Amino acid sequence: MREWTREERYRVLKSADEITDLHERIIKSSYRQAYHVQPVTGLSSDPNGFACFNGVWHLFYQWCPWGAVHGLKYWYHVTSPDLMHWKNEGVGIYPDCEYDNRGVHSGSAISADGRLYFFYTGNHRDEDWTRIPYTCAAVLGDDGKPCKLDKPLFGPRDDYSEHQRDPKVFYVEEKSRYYIFIGAQSLDKKGRVLVYSSEKLLEGWEYAGELKVPGYEDLGGMWECPCIGRVGDKDILLFSPQYTKLPGRGESTNHNIYIIGNMDYDTLTFSPSSDYRHLDYGFDFYAAQLASNTGDPDSEIIISWIGLPDNHYPTEEEDWEGSMTLPRRLTIQGDRLIQKPVDAVYELRGDKLSADGTLAPVCEVVAGFDGNDASLKLFTKADGSGGLRIDYDAGKMTCTIDRTGMDKRFNTQVGEVLDMPLGSPLKKLDIFIDRSSVEIFANDGEAVFTTHLYPTEREFNYAFSGAVDVEIWSLSSSVKDDFVV
Ligand code: FRU
């Protein structure tokens, strides 16, 4: 693994010419994806500024141009008419002010008064590398580029640690006010959410207090990327707790969970109506963000980073890493979120391939089950050995997913085997394969499992035991791998 100096990681990109060769080199990789948003060069991490505006979907990702490393971050901009066909638009927000001199960190978007606004964290660091996070805003100009305000909206509070970032902005009708949730860490290193509110979007922001989430005072040391949304008649709170291990999640200390409940803006209390669940049970899923202004009051749309902080992936050697998940539509059934890939993904289906025991690098596998024990192995060698094992245990109503059988193993210290508990007997797995990622939707979205995976040439086979009925569809490409900076 390459060691990067701070100087290399925080180098400012002066011209696109500096990374043309890098782009030319990485697009030759057999792991570049066909229908997922991925970095034009270097690293993409959190989704940012996700919103629908005038019929166009806007999405940004945290981008570090130089390689698969977390350094100086930009917001890289992509747009889509349908959430599947994405166009590279170039850098959206540059870290070019004193208040964001060490990165334009994560944030969100909202449309109001015929404009699209972005709220982000200006990651300022002093000469002695002390961090001062500012909450900043930008507005989408008529030229289609975000234009920053000339000064931050507010700075950090000194009764919390330096970890205060990732503004999620939203409007609360009943209060006729805008709100911002900020992910934070208390001075005694507990994960928190700080709430700000204002009558106007670009001025008048006041600290309203800390979000109370009864029962969650001790879960994790920092809550990154908090989000709140409404699905049907329930509120949902999403966040990525860090610096803690959670039951059933191996050695990982980074998670992305949700809680269903009720939000009271008078007391700033989110009252859970059931226990938290993992948004995704896979190895590589983090920093999920809900889209704004979807125009649908009954469901929400979510997108997330396929990757985890502190983890390392085989394409780092090629100087790129990380992509966005498929966007998913959220609804609620009982005490769990149902997550389905957006409808447009099914329009990518081409031919139905013969289910002859081989896999294509870009395809969808639909596997039917009868609720009894069964096993499906994807990416095995021709003799059926190795691969990504999916073992369903009917007694426990759980799929166990094991990637130890792959030729390319990675993040072995975090754990390579995880459970995906279901809410009903296994009937269906809808599996989206895109060269270096696999997303498994169980029972029409009852649970989801996302993982990076880097199959080698000899691994494009599958095998199963038990009553498994396999259908395979080719999928067409929907994201052009072009160089726009
Ligand atoms: C989450 C995160 C955010 C931060 C961003 C920086 O992955 O650490 O909290 O804003 O990444 O890239």
Side-chain angles (χ1 to χ4, degrees):
M1 200 181 18
R2 174 172 166 188
E3 292 292 328
W4 294 74
T5 62
R6 183 186 286 172
E7 211 175 23
E8 286 169 333
R9 287 190 291 133
Y10 284 86
R11 192 174 140 200
V12 174
L13 182 71
K14 300 215 174 78
S15 141
D17 297 346
E18 295 175 285
I19 50 171
T20 322
D21 292 350
L22 183 53
H23 175 79
E24 286 302 314
R25 178 155 59 78
I26 68 170
I27 58 171
K28 296 191 185 115
S29 168
S30 57
Y31 296 121
R32 291 296 280 179
Q33 301 196 286
Y35 58 96
H36 286 80
V37 172
Q38 63 195 335
V40 65
T41 59
L43 176 100
S44 63
S45 54
D46 311 1
N48 294 152
F50 187 26
C52 188
F53 180 63
N54 289 343
V56 176
W57 290 92
H58 292 262
L59 174 68
F60 299 75
Y61 55 75
Q62 284 283 282
W63 181 50
C64 185
W66 304 114
V69 65
H70 293 269
L72 186 67
K73 298 283 178 74
Y74 298 67
W75 277 30
Y76 187 94
H77 191 189
V78 293
T79 56
S80 172
D82 62 359
L83 290 167
M84 280 314 301
H85 292 83
W86 292 98
K87 181 167 170 250
N88 284 336
E89 299 282 359
V91 177
I93 308 184
Y94 291 83
D96 55 4
C97 294
E98 188 51 21
Y99 59 73
D100 58 20
N101 66 346
R102 299 297 176 182
V104 174
H105 281 191
S106 286
S108 55
I110 188 169
S111 85
D113 314 324
R115 289 267 179 208
L116 185 60
Y117 297 92
F118 306 103
F119 288 69
Y120 68 93
T121 298
N123 185 50
H124 173 85
R125 283 191 188 266
D126 285 351
E127 265 151 38
D128 64 0
W129 211 247
T130 303
R131 192 205 303 249
I132 307 176
Y134 291 101
T135 298
C136 310
V139 55
L140 192 71
D142 296 334
D143 59 354
K145 296 273 173 205
C147 175
K148 289 179 181 182
L149 301 200
D150 54 9
K151 53 181 199 329
L153 296 171
F154 52 88
R157 295 185 59 78
D158 54 15
D159 49 352
Y160 287 82
S161 86
E162 61 163 15
H163 294 292
Q164 299 176 48
R165 56 178 175 268
D166 310 338
K168 171 65 185 171
V169 61
F170 53 99
Y171 185 68
V172 178
E173 202 87 49
E174 72 199 61
K175 292 275 168 198
S176 306
R177 289 180 80 82
Y178 293 98
Y179 283 79
I180 289 178
F181 276 10
I182 300 252
Q185 180 187 62
S186 62
L187 290 175
D188 61 350
K189 298 199 172 358
K190 310 271 188 204
R192 296 287 182 257
V193 171
L194 310 183
V195 185
Y196 290 78
S197 97
S198 173
E199 249 173 58
K200 296 192 175 154
L201 253 186
L202 298 185
E203 57 188 90
W205 286 97
E206 282 166 10
Y207 180 58
E210 184 180 292
L211 181 72
K212 296 175 216 50
V213 190
Y216 289 82
E217 293 77 5
D218 278 324
L219 187 118
M222 164 68 189
W223 288 4
E224 294 194 314
C225 306
C227 254
I228 187 157
R230 196 160 176 85
V231 181
D233 59 356
K234 300 272 177 61
D235 294 312
I236 53 170
L237 180 67
L238 277 49
F239 54 97
S240 295
Q242 281 194 305
Y243 311 129
T244 187
K245 290 185 191 166
L246 293 178
R249 302 301 299 163
E251 296 302 306
S252 183
T253 55
N254 298 294
H255 315 274
N256 203 167
I257 63 172
Y258 71 86
I259 313 172
I260 297 177
N262 176 56
M263 179 68 206
D264 180 338
Y265 289 94
D266 289 326
T267 61
L268 297 184
T269 305
F270 186 94
S271 307
S273 54
S274 53
D275 281 349
Y276 78 84
R277 285 186 198 282
H278 294 272
L279 262 173
D280 187 292
Y281 289 93
F283 301 104
D284 306 303
F285 182 98
Y286 198 71
Q289 180 166 122
L290 297 171
S292 302
N293 305 100
T294 63
D296 178 354
D298 294 324
S299 73
E300 294 274 1
I301 292 181
I302 194 177
I303 198 162
S304 171
W305 168 29
I306 307 183
L308 277 190
D310 314 321
N311 283 14
H312 296 281
Y313 298 90
T315 56
E316 284 182 24
E317 284 171 19
E318 301 174 352
D319 287 320
W320 70 281
E321 182 228 305
S323 54
M324 300 292 108
T325 59
L326 291 175
R328 307 173 182 172
R329 188 171 290 283
L330 306 183
T331 52
I332 287 185
Q333 245 170 48
D335 63 356
R336 65 167 74 216
L337 281 180
I338 303 297
Q339 306 179 53
K340 293 188 184 170
V342 292
D343 292 344
V345 73
Y346 294 101
E347 286 161 28
L348 301 184
R349 276 185 180 178
D351 297 334
K352 192 164 170 185
L353 305 176
S354 74
D356 61 357
T358 61
L359 289 175
V362 178
C363 66
E364 179 192 353
V365 175
V366 184
F369 297 81
D370 66 0
N372 291 311
D373 285 2
S375 172
L376 173 63
K377 290 202 291 173
L378 300 172
F379 299 106
T380 65
K381 292 165 195 102
D383 65 1
S385 64
L388 177 77
R389 286 189 75 103
I390 307 171
D391 290 317
Y392 176 63
D393 179 330
K396 294 190 193 144
M397 237 161 52
T398 293
C399 289
T400 300
I401 291 130
D402 177 342
R403 66 181 182 190
T404 53
M406 298 296 296
D407 280 349
K408 282 195 200 265
R409 291 174 66 180
F410 51 100
N411 296 323
T412 52
Q413 74 294 349
V414 181
E416 297 168 280
V417 183
L418 284 174
D419 282 348
M420 170 169 63
L422 307 182
S424 62
L426 181 62
K427 289 291 160 68
K428 183 173 158 196
L429 295 178
D430 197 356
I431 304 170
F432 292 89
I433 293 171
D434 191 0
R435 295 206 177 104
S436 49
S437 70
V438 178
E439 287 154 284
I440 306 171
F441 291 80
N443 288 346
D444 290 317
E446 208 173 79
V448 194
F449 195 104
T450 298
T451 177
H452 270 310
L453 210 68
Y454 303 86
T456 59
E457 262 173 44
R458 62 175 187 161
E459 291 181 307
F460 284 91
N461 308 283
Y462 68 90
F464 56 83
S465 60
V468 187
D469 170 40
V470 174
E471 258 181 24
I472 307 178
W473 297 87
S474 72
L475 295 178
S476 61
S477 154
S478 64
V479 182
K480 196 167 162 207
D481 209 357
D482 56 352
F483 186 62
V484 185
V485 179

